[in-house]
Structures are given as structure tokens and as C-alpha cells.
Amino acid sequence: MTASVVQKSPVVKSIILMLIGLVGYACNVVYTRILTHNLSLDLYGDFSVAWCSLMLVDQLITFGVGLSAQRFVSLYTKKHQPAKTRAFLYWGASILLRSSIVLAIAYILFWIVASITHFTEIHRFDQYHLALFVIIFAPMMSIAVIITRLIQSSGHTILSTVVATLVNRIVQIVIILFFLELFIPKEVYHLSLILVSILFCTMLVNALIYSWITENDILNTLKPTKSRFVDKDWLAVAQSSCLNGIMFTLTVTSDLLILEFFSPYENHVGIFSVCGVCVGLLSTLQASINSQSTAAIMNINLMKPKERSILQKSLDAFNAIKLMLVCISIFSSWIFRQEIFSFFNIHSDAAHLLLPLMFFNVYLLDYRYQFDYLVANKEMAFVNRVQGISTAAMIIGSLILVMPYNMFGIASATLLSRVYAKVMMTIRCRRHSAMRFALFA
């Protein structure tokens, strides 16, 4: 009886994580609807681009500390080595502090130059994008993200998922509703105030939640000590994690950034961002399905033939389900296109074909099985190379196609780059194993 419960627990855990993800997605939809009904599409687009810019700067200044914490802190926690955990946290905090100082210096120098151009009437402050006003607050986002990783590394996977997908979004909704009671956002100053408040409150709430975990030893990290443990692998793993994180962030944010700065239609950024929220449902479901096989894929080389056969049947079933989900999503997004866009206060028919295309792009981005297998077989260099080429191709293609085809050009460039990444990773997997990680390959 006990063994049966143990065997079912990963499935139960996956179902719980999926439900949390769906509730978090519902909160994201509510959050987006509140914004689109109280901001113009142009301002909502600026708000989205500013958030994307913060995500990109966050990846740069954390230097992979958050992702590498999942490897080292979880290892030290399992081995009951609190001194090493404290040493890693101190090392990560020092990296974030140095990066934040560099960011602050660059920020001050930029605004000194901006002030000169303002006073000489070459360029006015109100012509700068919202992202430039709030980018200095990226360290608050970094702290919140790192804390979430630490919660996960401490063994509280479900709690970290709740914090990342549900608690943080609820904080954002509360902050938005609070400010909407005070004023209707119509200026960059209003949006800056809202963004900074969201970042600060998110960081504070995450820190409070982490402080309630009894085994965390964060306070002792700051205490002076004669010598601290240092592992040379920290920097190597952090560099690899940073590169991978930057490429992934560019993959999901560069489309909005390019559209903001090169498209002649201001409202297209807001429309494209709303479509990104809509396709998040498919992304959430795919991630939940993938999580059920991650551990097994990472240990394929240790499996017996019968165990591999059982895993193959599971992968085939999961891949078939994901194909069915994307087909339903594409069909539904076309049938109910009027209702979907009206829900977000968009009354233009310019993006009716865009939503099905973006659903298909989300499906193409799903190569998690291939990624996990290649990483487990020490092919991280190949993975980074493929993702780097794919990201570069998407950016270059988007820059070429955005002027003549606007948001459809960016979606098309994204499609081609993701086809390349998925095909290359699938071919590489087939060279190592006879297992099919895609539905037909």
C-alpha cells in the first residue's frame, strides 16, 4: 500500500502543479484584462515592453545565480551542509551587489547625458521610453526571482510554484487595483510608480515567505567569518546558466522589443502582448505534461529495455495529447476570435490570424524532452549553440520582416527559428538514442 502511494505521488504532484499553473494563468488573464480596460493599447504596450526589459536586465545582473542555486543549494540541502549553502548565498549576493553597482553607474551616466540633451533641447525627457525610467529597479526583480529559486532548491517545489505563478500575480493585481482607485494611469510617471511598487512588494512578499521556511539560514549568511567555502564549479555553472537564461529571455521578449522600436503601429505592441497572454494557456499545459517525464528522461541510460519501452509509450501518448491541445487551441482561437479580443478591450480585427499562428509557435517551442536528454548526455554546448543560432535567426528575421509585415513578420520569423531549433535537437537526440522524443521522430 505504501509503495503504491509512493509510485503515485509524482503523478499527484504533477496534477497539483498543473492546477497551480492554471490558477496562476487565470490570475494573469485577470491582470491583463484590468490593464487593457484601464490603459490605452499604446500605454499597455509600453508597460509590457518595460516589463520585458526588466526581465532581460535581471538575467544579466544575476549572472545565472538563480538557476545554479537549483543545482548547488539543493545538493547542499540534501547532504545537510548548511555552511556550504551559506557560502553559496554569500557568493551569489556579492555577484548581485557588484552587478547592481555597475547598473547604477551606467544608469547615472545615461541620465547625465540625457539631462544635457534635455537642457540643450536636443532631446526631451518625455521622449524616452518607460523602460529607461524603471530599469534601475531590476535588482528588486532579481532578488524576488532568486528567492523563488532558493525556495525550490530547499525542497519546497510546490511552494515555489505557488509563489512564482500565483502569489506574485496576486500581488500585481492588488497593486494595480490600489493605484486605479487613486488615479487613471495616463503618463509614464504613473506607470513607473506602478511598476516600482509591484517590484518592491513582490520582493518583500517573497522574502517574507522564504523567512518562514524553518530550515533557511539566510541571516547567518551575512555574519562575518574568517574563511568561506568556495567551489570553482559555481562560476562555470553560473556562466552556462546565464548564457542559457539570456537566450531564453531573448526568445520570449525580443519580439515585443523589436515591434516597439521598429513597427510604425503603436497599438500592435499591445495587441501582440495580449496574444502572448492568450497562448500562455497552451504553454502552461505543455509544461505540466512535460514535468511528468523529466526525471525519467534524464536517467534513460540507466534504464532496462522494458523500462525504456514503457517510457516510450508514455512519451508517445504525451506528445499526441500536446498535438491535440494545439489543434484545439488553434481552432478555438479562430472560432471565438471576436469574443477573445473583445474580452481584452481590443476591437480591431488586425490580429485575428495572429493568435492561431502564435499558438503554433508555442507548440514549436516545446522541445523540453530533447533538451532534458541532451543536457543529461553532456550536450549543453550543442544546446547553447542551437539556441544561440535560433535566437539570432529570430532577431535578424524579425528585423527584416517587421517593417513590411509588422507583427505577422515577427511571428513568421519566430516560427522559422523554432522549426530550426526543434529539428536540430531532434536529429541530435536520434544520433544518441533510438527513443522518439517527438511524435514521429
Side-chain angles (χ1 to χ4, degrees):
M1 182 67 179
T2 305
S4 177
V5 173
V6 171
Q7 290 176 355
K8 290 182 180 179
S9 61
V11 177
V12 173
K13 186 176 181 180
S14 297
I15 293 174
I16 293 173
L17 292 174
M18 182 182 70
L19 292 175
I20 294 171
L22 290 175
V23 175
Y25 173 76
C27 290
N28 191 25
V29 170
V30 172
Y31 170 75
T32 304
R33 189 175 192 274
I34 292 172
L35 287 174
T36 53
H37 278 260
N38 290 278
L39 299 176
S40 66
L41 273 178
D42 295 358
L43 280 179
Y44 174 69
D46 290 344
F47 191 88
S48 301
V49 169
W51 195 262
C52 289
S53 301
L54 286 167
M55 290 172 56
L56 189 56
V57 175
D58 160 59
Q59 290 293 333
L60 291 171
I61 64 176
T62 55
F63 198 68
V65 171
L67 289 173
S68 56
Q70 291 183 236
R71 172 177 172 178
F72 294 107
V73 175
S74 59
L75 176 64
Y76 300 150
T77 301
K78 289 179 181 178
K79 291 185 175 182
H80 303 289
Q81 298 174 321
K84 290 186 178 181
T85 299
R86 290 195 297 269
F88 179 86
L89 294 179
Y90 181 83
W91 175 79
S94 63
I95 285 181
L96 180 58
L97 178 60
R98 289 196 295 268
S99 301
S100 299
I101 292 173
V102 172
L103 175 64
I105 293 172
Y107 188 81
I108 292 170
L109 291 175
F110 171 81
W111 283 113
I112 289 174
V113 175
S115 298
I116 295 172
T117 60
H118 176 74
F119 293 137
T120 55
E121 297 185 355
I122 297 174
H123 202 84
R124 297 187 59 81
F125 286 144
D126 56 6
Q127 294 174 321
Y128 291 107
H129 196 277
L130 170 66
L132 293 175
F133 289 94
V134 300
I135 209 167
I136 188 61
F137 299 101
M140 288 194 289
M141 173 180 280
S142 300
I143 293 172
V145 172
I146 289 174
I147 289 174
T148 304
R149 302 284 187 183
L150 291 175
I151 294 173
Q152 183 179 10
S153 302
S154 300
H156 302 276
T157 305
I158 293 179
L159 177 60
S160 69
T161 305
V162 170
V163 171
T165 63
L166 188 56
V167 174
N168 290 348
R169 190 59 73 184
I170 291 175
V171 169
Q172 293 172 1
I173 292 173
V174 171
I175 296 297
I176 288 290
L177 292 176
F178 172 78
F179 278 103
L180 287 177
E181 288 294 322
L182 301 178
F183 54 78
I184 300 298
K186 293 182 179 179
E187 301 176 6
V188 169
Y189 168 73
H190 294 153
L191 296 180
S192 299
L193 189 60
I194 292 173
L195 267 172
V196 172
S197 300
I198 288 174
L199 291 173
F200 177 77
C201 291
T202 301
M203 178 189 68
L204 184 62
V205 170
N206 286 13
L208 288 173
I209 292 173
Y210 185 59
S211 67
W212 290 334
I213 298 177
T214 54
E215 63 267 28
N216 97 73
D217 209 13
I218 191 70
L219 294 177
N220 288 328
T221 302
L222 305 177
K223 291 182 179 180
T225 181
K226 293 182 179 179
S227 61
R228 292 183 185 273
F229 171 78
V230 177
D231 190 333
K232 62 181 181 180
D233 289 338
W234 289 351
L235 185 60
V237 173
Q239 287 175 334
S240 179
S241 300
C242 180
L243 179 61
N244 189 265
I246 289 173
M247 286 190 295
F248 177 79
T249 305
L250 280 174
T251 300
V252 298
T253 61
S254 59
D255 46 12
L256 268 184
L257 297 174
I258 292 172
L259 194 60
E260 171 69 21
F261 294 110
F262 293 97
S263 174
Y265 302 102
E266 287 289 332
N267 65 336
H268 278 195
V269 181
I271 294 173
F272 197 92
S273 182
V274 167
C275 289
V277 172
C278 293
V279 301
L281 176 60
L282 179 61
S283 180
T284 300
L285 293 174
Q286 287 182 165
S288 300
I289 293 172
N290 290 340
S291 66
Q292 300 184 44
S293 302
T294 297
I297 290 174
M298 298 286 279
N299 295 288
I300 281 179
N301 294 333
L302 303 177
M303 289 182 175
K304 297 177 181 179
K306 185 177 180 180
E307 292 174 324
R308 292 188 184 187
S309 177
I310 294 173
L311 176 61
Q312 183 65 77
K313 291 179 180 178
S314 298
L315 294 180
D316 290 342
F318 289 147
N319 282 323
I321 291 171
K322 288 188 286 187
L323 180 61
M324 180 183 67
L325 286 174
V326 72
C327 290
I328 292 173
S329 300
I330 292 173
F331 181 75
S332 300
S333 67
W334 177 252
I335 295 298
F336 301 105
R337 57 191 183 278
Q338 294 285 357
E339 291 80 3
I340 293 172
F341 285 105
S342 295
F343 180 80
F344 292 106
N345 200 31
I346 299 175
H347 304 289
S348 170
D349 60 355
H352 285 175
L353 286 174
L354 180 66
L355 195 51
L357 179 58
M358 288 182 68
F359 268 117
F360 187 61
N361 281 346
V362 170
Y363 176 71
L364 291 175
L365 186 61
D366 175 44
Y367 42 78
R368 178 61 186 271
Y369 295 155
Q370 295 92 324
F371 177 88
D372 287 339
Y373 180 77
L374 291 174
V375 169
N377 284 273
K378 300 179 181 180
E379 289 276 12
M380 195 64 195
F382 173 81
V383 171
N384 284 336
R385 185 166 63 251
V386 169
Q387 289 185 327
I389 294 173
S390 175
T391 301
M394 185 194 70
I395 293 173
I396 294 171
S398 296
L399 290 172
I400 294 172
L401 297 176
V402 67
M403 294 300 290
Y405 302 109
N406 297 301
M407 50 190 177
F408 290 97
I410 289 180
S412 299
T414 301
L415 184 148
L416 295 174
S417 67
R418 291 181 181 179
V419 166
Y420 163 80
K422 193 159 190 169
V423 169
M424 292 300 294
M425 289 197 184
T426 300
I427 291 174
R428 192 74 167 191
C429 287
R430 293 294 285 179
R431 289 181 180 178
H432 285 279
S433 173
M435 295 284 292
R436 295 186 306 277
F437 296 101
L439 191 58
F440 302 110

